[in-house]
Amino acid sequence: MAFCGKCGQKIEEGIKFWPACGAPVEVNATQSAQSQQPAGGYNQADIEQNKVMAVLAYFGILVLIPIFAAKESKFARFHSNQGLVLCIAAVLYGVAYSILSAVVLAISWRLYFVVSLLGLVSIVFAVLAVIGIINAANGKAKELPVIGKFKILK
């Protein structure tokens, strides 16, 4: 069994043009063997079918959509885990920042500059989300820097 190089769908034997995307099918022994092998442990068809779910995982609370809708997809599950860890880290940072800023501002309003500098750390979460979105859209399963090693979902 082979997969289309353009759209990633399964190709039946004996077809010269794939009707789903119109791509010419050149099936030989090496192409069939390469398309059946998982790329980095992930099936190419699974990657193509679940890219949207993987991208959704990096948009905050929308991480719940791929967690529940793509349970059987290994690729979407990887990115759901990354997105969930990122979302939890961002929420914990937000809570800690709110408490810290309330305490510091209760002491003196002149320390507002220090509190506002600490607020710039939130840019890191946006950068990590963009990195995750780019990886998911490109079909890669790379861990995010710093928080990528944490596994919540199996």
Side-chain angles (χ1 to χ4, degrees), residues 46 49-50 52-54 56 62-73 76-77 80:
D46 179 33
Q49 291 174 353
N50 292 299
V52 174
M53 289 294 180
L56 274 178
L62 292 181
V63 71
L64 296 175
I65 294 172
I67 287 174
F68 294 118
K71 289 180 183 179
E72 64 283 342
S73 170
R77 201 81 173 155
S80 296

Side-chain angles (χ1 to χ4, degrees), residues 10 41 50 73 76 81 83-84 87-88 95 104 124 135 144 149-150:
K10 293 180 185 177
N50 292 299
S73 170
N81 182 67
L84 184 62
C87 184
I88 290 171
V95 169
V104 169
V124 172
N135 286 338
L144 292 175
K149 60 187 172 202
F150 298 105

Side-chain angles (χ1 to χ4, degrees), residues 53-121:
M53 289 294 180
V55 169
L56 274 178
Y58 295 100
F59 287 100
I61 196 70
L62 292 181
V63 71
L64 296 175
I65 294 172
I67 287 174
F68 294 118
K71 289 180 183 179
E72 64 283 342
S73 170
K74 191 175 177 183
F75 180 72
R77 201 81 173 155
F78 173 82
H79 286 286
S80 296
N81 182 67
Q82 297 284 297
L84 184 62
V85 170
L86 183 65
C87 184
I88 290 171
V91 167
L92 290 176
Y93 169 75
V95 169
Y97 176 73
S98 298
I99 293 170
L100 182 67
S101 63
V103 169
V104 169
L105 291 176
I107 294 170
S108 173
W109 63 270
R110 294 179 186 181
L111 296 174
Y112 183 74
F113 178 72
V114 175
V115 173
S116 63
L117 286 178
L118 289 175
L120 295 177
V121 175

